[in-house]
Amino acid sequence: QVQLVESGGGLVQAGGSLRLSCTASGLTFSAYAMGWFRQVPGKEREFVAAISWGWSGGRTNYADSVKGRFTISRDNTENTVYLQMNSLKVEDTAVYYCAADLRGQGGSRKDSYEYWGQGTQVTVSS
């Protein structure tokens, strides 16, 4: 069974940093683009960042709202994708989900991603 497990969420003050991790099992990790999405109550799940499939450095893609503050990276030897979040804002508060897209280029469409984790809560306080 494919499983994506997020970790690293928590409570942080505005301006602070968190690093999220997502470890995958049950799939050939390098063959999947990996994405991060987030969701708050009453709103649709929205794209945050993604990185293309493969063993190369990876093409990255970011939502405008996080560009310059968040960095996505992957370690294919550990089957893990990371989201480094700096300069956090209250509006970054959400449940953050990891997702996998077979042979994906790191797109922003959530319907392109076949597998999803259960999410990790990030709360940014003022």
Side-chain angles (χ1 to χ4, degrees):
Q1 301 283 351
V2 172
Q3 188 173 25
L4 306 179
V5 180
E6 302 95 337
S7 62
L11 175 64
V12 64
Q13 290 193 34
S17 297
L18 283 174
R19 189 195 195 203
L20 305 183
S21 299
C22 169
T23 298
S25 59
L27 51 71
T28 302
F29 183 74
S30 62
Y32 288 80
M34 300 300 298
W36 288 97
F37 294 76
R38 65 189 183 188
Q39 188 169 27
V40 299
K43 296 184 67 177
E44 286 191 68
R45 194 168 298 185
E46 69 174 4
F47 172 76
V48 176
I51 186 165
S52 61
W53 78 279
W55 286 90
S56 301
R59 180 178 177 85
T60 59
N61 186 24
Y62 298 93
D64 288 343
S65 59
V66 307
K67 201 169 297 180
R69 299 188 297 120
F70 291 10
T71 303
I72 188 170
S73 61
R74 66 190 299 158
D75 183 348
N76 288 337
T77 70
E78 297 291 337
N79 285 8
T80 299
V81 62
Y82 304 94
L83 186 68
Q84 178 67 46
M85 305 186 295
N86 298 326
S87 302
L88 282 161
K89 304 174 179 179
V90 171
E91 51 261 47
D92 294 319
T93 295
V95 176
Y96 283 71
Y97 297 89
C98 174
D101 173 17
L102 181 62
R103 300 289 178 89
Q105 302 304 306
S108 61
R109 293 181 57 147
K110 53 184 179 287
D111 60 7
S112 294
Y113 291 82
E114 291 85 21
Y115 302 107
W116 294 82
Q118 293 300 303
T120 186
Q121 176 71 48
V122 172
T123 302
V124 184
S125 63
S126 62

